[in-house]
């Protein structure tokens, strides 16, 4: 969608027509500044979530209880780093740089998903993250494969494939625990008890409080509202929890024949806002760990850059 | 089993980098190498018995890995020096194993490609760090020096392996010397294994950090005897 039309109104008309026709906006196309800014915010936050999201799972790599599970977990954490890389590249097509985005993450000016501020306390948490957290992420992200911005939509196609795979592995991990010894079953139930509500919060605030939703939907960055996606997720999880033999920790959860959906209890939005404000259980640790890795790696990046200058290559891995 | 333990232990050490690497590309690369090694370990341990029983229920004295691979990660230069020394050795060894038709042949065929990549990765970083900044040069030299004494053990003969491991030493030394020279660094002099230093991992004599590594690795598995995961 390129155009040589001279004035902004024409550019805008082309942009609107492209979005209306469900076609993709590409990096060199004209786009409204606010559309660009909104995408940068969303893609960066998504990339940051992949990077911070490595921590709660990496916490269990060295303690994984079988070699098979250890291999699966290592591969998953590796995939997450890869997803972070795709997403930073997608954000870069909008004229921002990875260094700049990481800087904003480290200084707290950009956010990451609130879910990663919860601790992984047992091995079963690795399964609960796969089943619930990746499950919620997929519910959120599958519609993004049709997002109006081409590079983001294409990154999401790749990411969703890998995420679905992780989600099945998480489910299978929980199933093994649930059908294992009594202690393993209890471990699985406890993990689901702790991760259920935070997973529902991943869909963001309720529709009437969501600041960016309406505009994002008009631009076809988002395709469904937070509450719609949350409902879809609950409806998917209830039968899965049954086959897992695990209970979801919500006494208000029941099938509503009339709506054709499950009703569920009230989310603790105070907790959600506290976590977003930086007061969750692990906010401090996650960011300091991230900053520490970056700062302690500075000499390595400088070395790679210096080597590239001397030898006329590109810094390659030296990128921050 | 010795080769399986080498791969298992080094894989574990590399897994400790997850979330700590200096750049995202290295998160991917180090995890990738760790996964390759874990795959090799699983194949090799399965030739001996049950992989999980062997990994999780043996005590320190029963592990047969060389002391080099159990050395703590240290800074990035230490990790790279360990990788350089070990992957060069592994490439030569697996190269020999592919020639044979023993039980290792199917592994070796796949693993030679993996370890060639591992060595390439370690060599490139040795060059970047050695011939990078003053600080990186200093750190890389320190790391090469510190780990040198653990390299002698690599060439101890291995039971039930029709490869003359000690004969690999010359080729190994030539490759390492070339890379280290290119990186404007100097190869440490002195014995590769001294009387009071390294050289007994293959007999189950390990360094102190190894027990702690195993405690972490085995804790959950040992806490639930008989459970499946």
């Amino acid at each position: 969608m390129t155009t040589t039309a001279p004035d902004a109104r024409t550019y805008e008309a082309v942009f609107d027509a492209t979005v209306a026709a469900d076609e993709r906006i590409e990096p060199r196309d004209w786009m409204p500044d606010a559309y660009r800014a909104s995408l940068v915010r969303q893609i960066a936050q998504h990339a940051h979530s992949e990077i911070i999201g490595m921590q709660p799972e990496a916490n269990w790599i060295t303690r994984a209880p079988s070699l098979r599970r250890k291999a699966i977990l290592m591969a998953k954490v590796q995939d997450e780093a890869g997803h972070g890389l795709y997403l930073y590249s997608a954000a870069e097509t909008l004229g921002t740089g990875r260094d700049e985005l990481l800087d904003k993450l480290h200084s707290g000016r950009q956010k990451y998903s609130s879910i990663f501020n919860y601790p992984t306390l047992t091995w079963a948490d690795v399964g609960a993250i796969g089943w619930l957290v990746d499950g919620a992420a997929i519910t959120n992200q599958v519609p993004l494969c049709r997002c109006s911005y081409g590079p983001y939509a294409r990154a999401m196609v790749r990411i969703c494939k890998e995420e679905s795979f992780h989600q099945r592995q998480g489910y299978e991990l929980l199933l093994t625990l649930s059908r294992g010894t009594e202690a393993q079953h209890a471990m699985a139930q406890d993990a689901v008890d702790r991760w259920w509500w935070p997973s529902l919060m991943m869909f963001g605030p309720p529709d009437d409080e969501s600041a960016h939703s309406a505009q994002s939907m008009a631009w076809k960055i988002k395709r469904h509202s937070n509450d719609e996606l949350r409902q879809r997720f609950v409806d998917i999880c209830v039968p899965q929890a049954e086959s897992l033999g695990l209970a979801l920790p919500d006494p208000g959860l029941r099938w509503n024949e009339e709506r054709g959906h499950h009703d569920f209890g009230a989310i603790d939005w105070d907790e959600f806002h506290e976590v977003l404000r930086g007061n969750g259980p692990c906010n401090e640790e996650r960011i300091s760990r991230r900053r520490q890795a970056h700062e302690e790696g500075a000499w390595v990046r400088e070395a790679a850059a210096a080597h590239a200058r001397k030898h006329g290559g590109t810094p390659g891995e030296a990128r921050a | 089993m010795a080769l399986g333990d080498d791969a298992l232990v080094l894989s574990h050490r590399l897994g400790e980098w997850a979330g700590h690497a200096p750049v995202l590309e290295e998160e991917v690369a180090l995890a990738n190498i760790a996964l390759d090694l874990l795959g090799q370990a699983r194949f090799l341990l399965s030739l001996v018995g049950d992989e999980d029983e062997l990994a999780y229920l043996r005590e320190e004295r029963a592990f047969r890995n060389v002391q080099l691979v159990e050395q703590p990660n240290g800074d990035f230069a230490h990790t790279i020096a360990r990788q350089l020394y070990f992957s060069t050795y592994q490439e030569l060894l697996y190269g020999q194993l592919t020639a044979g038709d023993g039980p290792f042949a199917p592994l070796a065929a796949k693993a030679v490609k993996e370890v060639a990549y591992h060595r390439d990765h370690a060599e490139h970083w040795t060059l970047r760090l050695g011939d990078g900044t003053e600080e990186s040069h200093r750190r890389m030299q320190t790391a090469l020096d510190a780990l040198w004494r653990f390299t002698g053990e690599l060439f101890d003969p291995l039971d039930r392996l029709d490869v003359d491991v000690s004969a690999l030493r010359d080729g190994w030394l030539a490759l390492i010397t070339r890379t280290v020279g290119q990186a404007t660094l100097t190869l440490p002099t002195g014995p590769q294994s001294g009387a009071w230093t390294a050289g007994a991992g293959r007999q189950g004599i390990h360094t102190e950090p190894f027990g702690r590594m195993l405690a972490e690795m085995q804790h959950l598995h040992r806490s639930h005897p008989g459970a499946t995961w």
Side-chain angles (χ1 to χ4, degrees):
Chain A
M1 286 287 106
T2 51
T3 172
T4 51
D7 64 89
R9 235 180 26 202
T10 319
Y11 284 132
E12 198 162 350
V14 172
F15 173 84
D16 289 343
T18 307
V19 171
D22 262 342
E23 284 169 17
R24 299 275 175 266
I25 303 297
E26 295 298 338
R28 273 178 289 190
D29 294 342
W30 183 91
M31 62 187 87
D33 289 344
Y35 175 85
R36 186 183 297 274
S38 182
L39 272 169
V40 168
R41 183 183 53 79
Q42 185 174 337
I43 299 174
Q45 181 169 330
H46 193 161
H48 299 333
S49 302
E50 296 283 357
I51 300 311
I52 296 287
M54 293 166 69
Q55 290 183 31
E57 294 180 291
N59 185 37
W60 280 92
I61 286 180
T62 54
R63 290 176 289 170
S66 75
L67 297 186
R68 174 172 161 262
R69 292 291 179 198
K70 188 174 184 162
I72 291 172
L73 185 57
M74 272 185 185
K76 182 178 180 193
V77 173
Q78 183 191 17
D79 281 349
E80 280 158 6
H83 296 171
L85 285 171
Y86 304 157
L87 288 162
Y88 286 122
S89 304
E92 286 179 338
T93 64
L94 292 159
T96 177
R98 198 209 300 182
D99 295 353
E100 189 188 329
L101 296 178
L102 278 176
D103 202 47
K104 286 183 176 160
L105 168 66
H106 297 153
S107 61
R109 280 172 293 156
Q110 282 179 343
K111 294 188 190 316
Y112 54 88
S113 176
S114 60
I115 193 82
F116 300 120
N117 293 311
Y118 291 86
T120 47
L121 302 178
T122 71
W123 171 250
D125 290 25
V126 170
I129 289 182
W131 177 44
L132 294 173
V133 175
D134 293 337
I138 294 164
T139 309
N140 257 329
Q141 291 169 8
V142 164
L144 288 174
C145 298
R146 294 183 293 123
C147 153
S148 60
Y149 188 59
Y152 192 29
R154 289 188 289 273
M156 291 321 303
V157 172
R158 278 179 81 173
I159 290 174
C160 282
K161 273 186 208 153
E162 293 178 352
E163 294 287 6
S164 315
F165 187 56
H166 299 158
Q167 200 235 356
R168 279 200 299 278
Q169 288 170 329
Y171 178 89
E172 193 253 330
L173 192 163
L174 281 183
L175 188 66
T176 307
L177 293 181
S178 178
R179 292 179 178 172
T181 64
E182 213 172 298
Q184 285 177 307
H185 181 90
M187 193 193 276
Q189 182 61 59
D190 170 64
V192 169
D193 290 347
R194 283 180 289 110
W195 288 92
W196 173 248
W197 291 107
S199 303
L200 293 191
M201 294 178 196
M202 285 175 71
F203 295 92
D207 292 347
D208 48 10
E209 284 173 34
S210 177
H212 305 290
S213 271
Q215 182 60 73
S216 288
M217 285 173 75
W219 278 329
K220 295 190 182 169
I221 297 175
K222 275 183 83 148
R223 295 289 182 145
H224 309 277
S225 78
N226 294 352
D227 287 333
E228 270 171 52
L229 292 169
R230 189 168 11 244
Q231 179 70 60
R232 185 179 298 179
F233 178 65
V234 171
D235 290 338
I236 292 170
C237 285
V238 170
Q240 291 182 345
E242 268 167 38
S243 25
L244 278 172
L246 297 170
L248 293 172
D250 179 0
L253 193 64
R254 63 180 56 85
W255 176 251
N256 182 326
E257 191 64 55
E258 221 167 285
R259 291 201 307 125
H261 290 293
H262 291 87
D263 290 336
F264 54 98
I267 290 173
D268 182 351
W269 292 114
D270 290 342
E271 176 179 321
F272 176 74
H273 290 300
E274 278 306 310
V275 176
L276 278 193
R277 259 196 290 275
N279 300 325
C282 297
N283 296 60
E284 192 58 44
E285 287 89 333
R286 300 290 187 239
I287 279 293
S288 354
R289 159 71 67 79
R290 185 56 225 142
R291 265 195 226 123
Q292 189 195 5
H294 192 73
E295 282 160 17
E296 286 178 359
W299 70 272
V300 177
R301 296 190 298 274
E302 283 157 19
H307 181 84
R309 277 195 304 275
K310 286 186 211 176
H311 296 274
T314 53
E317 284 100 314
R319 305 255 338 248
Chain B
M1 182 143 88
L3 300 183
D5 285 351
D6 284 349
L8 177 71
V9 170
L10 185 56
S11 165
H12 186 94
R13 284 297 188 207
L14 291 174
E16 294 172 355
W17 270 103
H20 295 268
V23 281
L24 284 177
E25 284 81 355
E26 283 306 297
E27 294 284 2
V28 178
L30 294 172
N32 191 34
I33 297 170
L35 262 173
D36 287 345
L37 289 167
L38 185 55
Q40 294 168 18
R42 294 181 65 191
F43 177 91
L44 290 163
L45 294 178
S46 300
L47 290 178
V48 182
D50 178 86
E51 61 177 35
D52 285 336
E53 230 174 272
L54 289 166
Y56 291 99
L57 299 175
R58 269 183 302 156
E59 299 197 349
E60 186 175 337
R61 290 282 284 108
F63 274 82
R64 292 290 176 261
N65 55 283
V66 288
Q67 293 180 354
L68 175 66
V69 295
E70 75 202 33
Q71 295 311 303
N73 288 333
D75 67 6
F76 189 68
H78 277 75
T79 292
I80 291 301
R82 192 182 60 198
Q83 285 303 113
L84 178 73
Y85 289 154
F86 186 74
S87 61
T88 304
Y89 160 77
Q90 224 190 359
E91 192 183 18
L92 293 170
L93 181 62
Y94 283 5
Q96 295 279 307
L97 288 174
T98 41
D101 54 359
F104 302 109
L107 167 80
K110 175 167 180 281
V112 279
K113 287 179 216 137
E114 294 170 353
V115 295
Y117 161 75
H118 303 171
R119 184 174 58 83
D120 191 59
H121 174 262
E123 280 186 356
H124 275 99
W125 273 112
T126 304
L127 296 177
R128 286 192 197 102
L129 298 181
D131 192 13
T133 63
E134 220 170 282
E135 182 185 10
S136 68
H137 180 87
R138 179 179 53 75
R139 285 183 187 248
M140 193 65 219
Q141 187 64 57
T142 305
L144 288 172
D145 293 348
L147 293 171
W148 178 249
R149 68 196 180 97
F150 297 103
T151 59
E153 189 187 7
L154 294 172
F155 306 100
D156 284 353
L158 282 164
D159 293 345
R160 284 176 292 169
L161 206 63
D162 27 313
V163 174
D164 180 4
V165 180
S166 58
L168 300 176
R169 190 178 199 143
D170 290 344
W172 180 86
L173 197 59
L175 287 169
I176 300 282
T177 306
R178 192 194 63 192
T179 305
V180 168
Q182 261 185 342
T184 72
L185 297 158
T186 48
L187 202 61
T189 49
Q192 282 175 311
S193 56
W196 303 106
T197 59
R202 296 279 187 238
Q203 286 80 53
I205 303 291
H206 294 280
T207 54
E208 287 181 346
F210 184 55
R212 219 163 288 118
M213 193 205 99
L214 284 188
E216 181 172 347
M217 182 173 108
Q218 298 180 337
H219 165 261
L220 178 60
H221 186 95
R222 284 181 182 268
S223 306
H224 296 262
T228 49
W229 300 94

